[in-house]
Amino acid sequence: MHDIALKIAIVCAAGIGAQWLAWRLRLPAIVLLLAAGFLAGPATGFLDPAKDFGEIYRPLISLAVAIILFEGGLTLNFKEIRETSTTVRRIILFGGPLVWLMTAMAAHSIAGLSWTTAIVLGAILVVTGPTVIMPLLRQAQLSSRPASILRWEAIVNDPIGALLAVLSFETVLILHGGHHASELAIRVPLALLIALGGGWAAAKFLQWLFIRGHVAEYLKVPVLLSVLLVAYAVTNLALEEAGLLTVTVMGIALANTRLASLSEIRRFKETITILLVSGVFILLTASLTIADIQALDWRTVAFVASLLFVIRPLAIFVATAGSGATWQERLLTGWIAPRGIVAVAVSGLFGATLVDIGVADGNKMVAVTFSVVVATIILHGFSLGPLAAALDLKSAQKPGVLIVGGSRWATALARKLSELEIPVMIADRNWNHISDARLANVPVYFGEVLSEEAHHAIDFNRFSYLIAAGDNDAHNALVCTDFGLEFGRSHVFQLAPAKSESERHALNFTLGGRPLANEDISYWQLQANEIAGWTFQVTTLTEDFGFDAYLQSRSDGAIVLFWIRPSGKIVFASTAAGEPSAEDRVLCYAPAGNEVRAAKRANAPDESN
C-alpha cells in the first residue's frame, strides 16, 4: 500500500515538475512527460502501471480520458467555427476526413496493422494537439494569418477529432463483437441515443440547475464532475466506452450555453485536466515495454514518414484549394501538425480495449501513436521557425502592448510605441475615449474588452503585455484579474487606484495587476500632466551613460515606465529584477524641455514625443 502511494506521489510530482520545467524552458510539456514516463517505466522498471494498480488501472485511465475529452469539448464554440476563415473550415470539414481515410490505408498497407486497428488509429491521428501547437506558435512568432490557421485548427480539431475517434471505435466494437443482427439493431440506436441525446440532455440539465440557482456557487464544479462521471458510466452500460462520446457531446453542448459561471468552470477544469494529462501520459508511457519499442520496425518508420511527408500535406493542399490561402501558408500548414496528449491518452485506452476483444495488434497502436507524437514534436518543433522564415511567414513585429482605456495619455503612449515599431492597440467601450487614437491612426477596438466578442475580434497573440489605464479603478482591476491568467500576472499592469481614507472603499489585494510604475500615478494625475505638456521620452543608454547617470540627468520628476532590450523585449520598471544596461532604450514620462539635455548626456539622438 505504501509503495503504491509513493508511486502515485512520484507520478504527480514528476508530471507537474515536467509541466513547470517545460514552461521555464519554453518547450512542449509532452517532451518532458515522455522522458519522465520512459525513465519510470521501460528504462528502469520502477513503474509497471498494470501490475502496480491492478484492476483499477483501466477504470482510472478511462475516467481520466473522459474528463480530458470533456474539457476538450468545452473549448468548441460554434460561433468560433463560423468566424474562422474559409481555410480553417475547409481543413476541418475536408482535410480531417481525408487524413482519416489515407492514414487508415497507410496504417494497414505500410505499418501492417489490421483494418480494425488501422481505422481507429486513423481517426485518432486526425487530432492536432493545442497543448503542443500553442507553445510552438508563441516561440515561432508567425505572422497573423498562418498563426491563426494553425491555432484554430488545433482548437476546433481537438474535440472533433476525438469525436471521430470515439465514433470509429464504437463502430469497431459493435462490428467486432459478434452480435446478432437483431441485437445490433437494438444496441446501436440505443447507444447513440444515450450518448448523443444523453450528453446534450445532461448539459441542458446542468444549465437549468445553474441558471435557476438550484446549486450553490461552491458546489457547481463538484456537481458538474458528478453528472459527468454518472453520464459516462451509465452510457457504458449500453455499449462499452460509449460514455466517451457522451462526455464529448456534453462538453460541446455546455460550451455553447450562456452560463455566467462557464469561465470559472473552464479554469477549474483546465487545472484538473493538467493534473490528469500529466499523470495519464506518464502512466501510458511507463506501460510500454521494451518489447513494444523493439517491435517498431522499418514499417513503422515508413508509416510515420508517409503521414508527415505525404498524407498531411496532400490532404491540406486538396482541402485548401481555392480558399484564398497562399502556397506558402498551405505548405506550412501541410507540414506543421504536431500530435499531442489527447492522441496518446485515447490510443492507450482504445488499444487495451481492442486487445481485450481479441484484436491482436491493438496494443501496437499505442506504440505507433507514440512514434508519431515523438516524430511530429521533434521535427515540427525544430523546423517551424526556420521554415516560416524561409517562406517569409514570420512576423516582423515585436511583443505588443494592449492598452485598455482610452485617453489623451493612452493615445500619446500608443503613438510613442508605434514609433518604436511595437504593436499596440487601445480598447475602450466609449467611442469618445478613442477618438484621439483614431485620428492618430492608432489601432483601436470599440467595445468591452471583457466581452466574448472581443475574444473573437482581437488577436491577443500579438500582445504580451496589458495596461489597464481607464478612469474606473474597479474596471482596471477586473481587466487585470481576468487577463492575468492569459497574459501572466507579471505581464498585466494598471494605474494606481485613487487613494481611499477608508479600507471599506479599497479593493482586495488579490484583485488587479502590477503597478504600472514605481511611483503611484493615477488616471487623473496623468490627465493633468498631459494638460501641463508632459511627453513620453526615449533615451538610449551607452557604456558611458548608464542608468545611474540617466537618473541623475532627470531632475524633473520623470517617471520611468519601462525599457526596451535590443531584442525587443519590454521590461517594466515596477517588476524589473535589475537595471537597464547599455543599448537599452529607456522610456519615461516627463515634463517637456528636459529631453534634450538627457539626450546630449547620452550622446544619442532625442526621441521625445
Side-chain angles (χ1 to χ4, degrees), residues 80-108:
E80 294 176 349
I81 297 179
R82 291 194 298 268
E83 295 182 355
T84 55
S85 65
T86 302
T87 303
V88 175
R89 289 196 294 273
R90 289 194 179 186
I91 291 174
I92 300 300
L93 297 177
F94 302 112
L98 284 174
V99 170
W100 183 4
L101 175 62
M102 291 189 289
T103 301
M105 294 174 63
H108 176 69

Side-chain angles (χ1 to χ4, degrees), residues 197 273 326 350 357 398 545 567 598:
T273 302
T326 65
F350 289 179
I357 64 174
K398 303 169 185 176
F545 187 76
S567 63

Side-chain angles (χ1 to χ4, degrees), residues 418-477:
S418 296
E419 292 173 10
L420 297 172
E421 298 182 347
I422 295 174
V424 64
M425 174 182 283
I426 298 178
D428 200 301
R429 63 187 303 171
N430 189 316
W431 183 255
N432 294 324
H433 288 179
I434 56 177
S435 58
D436 288 341
R438 291 186 297 107
L439 293 174
N441 292 322
V442 172
V444 299
Y445 173 74
F446 173 54
E448 175 54 62
V449 75
L450 295 172
S451 68
E452 183 179 356
E453 180 63 30
H455 174 73
H456 304 306
I458 300 177
D459 182 10
F460 289 102
N461 285 333
R462 295 178 57 233
F463 307 108
S464 298
Y465 309 93
L466 180 144
I467 298 175
D471 58 0
N472 187 315
D473 295 335
H475 185 264
N476 289 342

Side-chain angles (χ1 to χ4, degrees), residues 30-49:
I30 196 171
V31 175
L32 299 180
L33 290 172
L34 178 68
F38 180 79
L39 289 175
T44 63
F46 170 76
L47 192 62
D48 184 352

Side-chain angles (χ1 to χ4, degrees), residues 85 229 344 368 382:
S85 65
L229 297 179
V344 172
V368 173
F382 286 103

Side-chain angles (χ1 to χ4, degrees), residues 507-555:
L507 293 173
N508 192 290
F509 71 93
T510 60
L511 302 176
R514 303 294 178 88
L516 179 59
N518 290 322
E519 299 85 353
D520 285 340
I521 48 175
S522 67
Y523 173 87
W524 303 110
Q525 287 174 309
L526 293 177
Q527 292 300 88
N529 291 344
E530 278 294 307
I531 296 174
W534 282 44
T535 60
F536 288 97
Q537 302 162 20
V538 178
T539 304
T540 303
L541 302 183
T542 65
E543 294 291 347
D544 298 327
F545 187 76
F547 190 57
D548 290 337
Y550 169 80
L551 293 178
Q552 292 176 7
S553 71
R554 309 301 313 218
S555 57

